[in-house]
Amino acid sequence: MSQGIGLENHTTGSGFILLGFSELCSLQSLCFTTFLVIYLMILTGNSLIVLITVVDPRLHNPMYFFLRNLSLLEICYTSVTLPNMLLALLLADGSISFLGCAAQLYFMDSLGSIECLVLAAMAYDRYTAVCDPLHYTLIMSRGLCIRLLLGSWMIVLPLQAGQTYQVFTLPFCASHQLHHFFCDVPPLLELACADIFWNQVVMYTIILGFVILPFSLILISYIKIIRAVLKMSSALGRHKTFSTCFSHLVVVTLFYGSAIVVYLKRHSRDSADTDMYLALLYTVVTPMFNPLIYSLRNKEVRTALKKLLWTKQCHRVPKIVPGSATVID
């Protein structure tokens, strides 16, 4: 791992050097182990959420439909960055090809934008369940849920393709050194040797449409939910209703809080380290905690998980027919 010291002087050719790894040269073994454990936790936890929401009929409703798709997005989202980060730490080489960087930027921004829209759809689902329970099944039909999800993909993918093309047609300075752990728009624009005004216009327009607007809808939904909960006469009813929304609210806070700080605050050389580590929060830490948040706070998810694990355990135990030595698997 001693090779990590020379990361900054590595020549990139037509690619880039991710300088975030050069700052971890003395901790590469520890960081590799930590990120590997986190990645395995993300894959395991989110896969379990997907599995139980598919196999358990009690979880076949809009809330768990969106939760299942959120978990799938988390798996894909982290798989865009974490394997490359693990490889960079293992080989002590932070280089990434030009096309690899473009692909990473496109898929990361696309999946992140879709996740924002899915979180907004989940907030609307909770708003409808709390504020209009009599019409909930009529409003949140399976058809609407599928249209919301497909619409998110159809809107995001072409727009992010346009932004990726616009960024990677810029002329970059000779250093090609990104002060980051992965390819992202702000650090890439800092390397551009051209006017980036329209790139910034596109970036902030996309942030407005896929981050600020969904976040505003989530805030409005929860303001109305809180008002409805406070009007309930039963303390038990208030606690039960708010408990169903708490997990989603925590995930929204973690994801949007760090993302908004990174993309909307004024960037400078002094804040580059802060931006870099904050980016790890919404790309690595939040996907790891999502399954824990939903399973620990949600009784239905815990029950379905126990049922799944108990069923698997029972299938492993051989059954012995009374009065004989015959074993039935």
Side-chain angles (χ1 to χ4, degrees):
M1 291 297 177
S2 61
Q3 295 175 5
I5 299 174
L7 281 174
E8 291 189 35
N9 296 324
H10 184 83
T11 55
T12 63
S14 58
F16 298 91
I17 285 292
L18 300 171
L19 294 181
F21 299 104
S22 65
E23 299 186 4
L24 302 177
C25 59
S26 61
L27 300 170
Q28 283 178 332
S29 297
L30 176 62
C31 290
F32 176 82
T33 304
T34 303
F35 284 133
L36 178 61
V37 171
I38 289 174
Y39 188 44
L40 292 176
M41 288 177 63
I42 291 171
L43 294 179
T44 304
N46 285 288
S47 296
L48 279 174
I49 294 291
V50 172
L51 181 60
I52 62 176
T53 55
V54 169
V55 301
D56 195 318
R58 293 171 298 179
L59 303 184
H60 290 176
N61 58 50
M63 182 172 75
Y64 296 108
F65 170 82
F66 289 120
L67 178 57
R68 177 166 63 250
N69 282 279
L70 179 66
S71 294
L72 285 170
L73 283 169
E74 297 286 34
I75 292 171
C76 297
Y77 186 61
T78 53
S79 295
V80 173
T81 55
L82 266 176
N84 185 71
M85 291 170 65
L86 290 170
L87 187 62
L89 288 168
L90 183 64
L91 301 178
D93 183 4
S95 62
I96 185 171
S97 68
F98 188 86
L99 289 177
C101 187
Q104 188 179 73
L105 175 68
Y106 173 67
F107 286 110
M108 190 186 70
D109 282 3
S110 295
L111 293 168
S113 298
I114 294 168
E115 184 168 337
C116 290
L117 297 177
V118 170
L119 287 170
M122 293 175 76
Y124 178 69
D125 170 75
R126 292 298 83 206
Y127 159 76
T128 307
V130 174
C131 300
D132 197 4
L134 296 178
H135 299 96
Y136 175 72
T137 54
L138 183 64
I139 296 173
M140 296 303 298
S141 63
R142 180 172 178 80
L144 176 64
C145 294
I146 292 174
R147 287 195 297 272
L148 287 173
L149 184 66
L150 290 179
S152 300
W153 284 85
M154 292 174 66
I155 292 171
V156 167
L157 293 182
L159 289 177
Q160 290 294 358
Q163 178 179 233
T164 303
Y165 175 80
Q166 185 189 37
V167 169
F168 281 89
T169 51
L170 288 170
F172 293 104
C173 297
S175 66
H176 283 207
Q177 294 179 340
L178 287 174
H179 196 78
H180 218 293
F181 291 113
F182 50 82
C183 294
D184 204 0
V185 175
L188 281 167
L189 292 183
E190 288 180 5
L191 296 184
C193 298
D195 183 12
I196 59 171
F197 172 76
W198 288 109
N199 297 85
Q200 291 177 322
V201 168
V202 171
M203 181 181 72
Y204 287 116
T205 301
I206 287 177
I207 290 172
L208 176 64
F210 297 141
V211 180
I212 303 301
L213 182 58
F215 185 63
S216 301
L217 293 175
I218 292 171
L219 283 179
I220 293 170
S221 297
Y222 273 104
I223 289 171
K224 294 187 176 183
I225 287 171
I226 291 170
R227 286 178 179 175
V229 169
L230 292 177
K231 290 179 181 178
M232 294 180 180
S233 57
S234 168
L236 180 62
R238 289 197 298 270
H239 175 75
K240 185 178 180 181
T241 302
F242 189 73
S243 181
T244 62
C245 304
F246 183 79
S247 300
H248 178 254
L249 194 57
V250 172
V251 171
V252 166
T253 303
L254 285 173
F255 183 80
Y256 275 97
S258 53
I260 287 175
V261 169
V262 169
Y263 281 96
L264 293 187
K265 76 181 185 68
R266 187 177 182 86
H267 294 278
S268 67
R269 285 292 180 183
D270 295 333
S271 67
D273 287 340
T274 304
D275 296 345
M276 187 171 64
Y277 290 110
L278 275 174
L280 287 180
L281 185 61
Y282 66 84
T283 56
V284 176
V285 178
T286 302
M288 178 184 66
F289 281 118
N290 279 1
L292 294 174
I293 293 168
Y294 278 104
S295 60
L296 292 176
R297 293 289 308 182
N298 193 301
K299 185 178 179 181
E300 290 178 317
V301 172
R302 292 200 307 270
T303 302
L305 184 58
K306 289 177 182 177
K307 181 181 176 182
L308 176 67
L309 296 176
W310 175 253
T311 302
K312 287 187 175 183
Q313 186 179 4
C314 290
H315 285 167
R316 292 195 189 102
V317 177
K319 297 179 181 179
I320 302 176
V321 177
S324 71
T326 305
V327 177
I328 302 175
D329 290 328

